[in-house]
Amino acid sequence: MNPIISAPELAAELAGPRPPVLLDVRYQLGAPPGRPAYEAGHIPGAVYVDLDSELAGTPGAGGRGGRHPLPDVAEFGAVMRRAGVSASSRVVAYDGGQGWAAARAWWLLRWAGHQDVQVLDGGLEAWRGELSTATPTPPVGDFTPRPGALPLLDADGAAELARTGLLLDARAAERYRGDVEPIDPVAGHIPGAVSAPTMENVDGEGRFLPAEALAARFKTLGAADAPQVGVYCGSGVSAAQQIVALEIAGIRAALYAGSWSDWVSDSTRPVAKGPDRG
């Protein structure tokens, strides 16, 4: 299935006999939670899902590392059921336009075994229909997570993949080089990782590049010849957008969910700096 859907396609599906479950996952790092924006206006029928509290677990709890560790599977399932997600549901997630938060919801659902899920290409900025301030109360769904449908990496797996395959660093290039680090306590990148900023996956309006352009980009980065591809970012959010882009290009990739914030939580792990893989 194409992991993205255009705004006109979504509008047509919402008007059809089997409208999808809509998840509003607006979120911006360092900004206020997306709930006020949701209450000010959202696509009619959309249910708000909070990235920090519902698409991520508590950092450090149960051995989970990073700023946005994976949520508890049972709790995630309960959140999705409250949003109306069933095993037979079509699901569309959208955010404010970056595609990062919506891709996190997409990845979690796909990883948990739900196949029929897409990201709204361009997010709410691409939507040309009406907005609503009503909070829906959908019928409770029956979705039960069955983790493992998408590949997942821990720190050791990411280190190994950086040596034997292709590990892409989805953060901005200056963070990869270690020139700056505005969030985490250590600057740099995982040795062997290749810089691949997520902003190069989309056009000026935040829409994903065509499949052919994305395939060419990832081929240049070495994905075509790699036995396995993995992605990390700062905390496993923007990396999910990169995995959507790779999926569009026909490449299956693993997510290092803990990402850089998990990697640097252990001072014994090596850190590379500069423009090269290290």
Side-chain angles (χ1 to χ4, degrees), residues 43 48 106 159 161 170 173 246 252:
I43 298 176
Y48 178 70
W106 171 89
L161 185 55
L246 284 155
R252 176 60 55 88

Side-chain angles (χ1 to χ4, degrees), residues 76 87 107-117 143-150:
F76 172 68
W107 187 90
L108 278 168
L109 279 164
R110 288 287 309 278
W111 170 74
H114 201 300
Q115 295 297 313
D116 202 352
V117 55
F143 173 64
T144 299
R146 293 178 173 84
L150 290 183

Side-chain angles (χ1 to χ4, degrees), residues 29-90:
L29 185 66
R35 183 88 201 193
Y38 169 82
E39 292 175 346
H42 50 266
I43 298 176
V47 175
Y48 178 70
V49 177
D50 184 76
L51 188 147
D52 279 331
S53 64
E54 297 179 314
L55 300 182
T58 302
R64 292 172 290 184
R67 287 181 278 109
H68 288 110
L70 297 187
D72 175 84
V73 171
E75 292 176 3
F76 172 68
V79 167
M80 291 297 102
R81 289 191 293 274
R82 286 197 299 269
V85 177
S86 289
S88 61
S89 300
R90 284 190 33 68

Side-chain angles (χ1 to χ4, degrees), residues 196-213:
T198 57
M199 294 309 296
E200 296 180 21
N201 296 326
V202 296
D203 63 19
E205 296 182 331
R207 294 182 175 89
F208 283 94
L209 300 177
E212 297 80 5

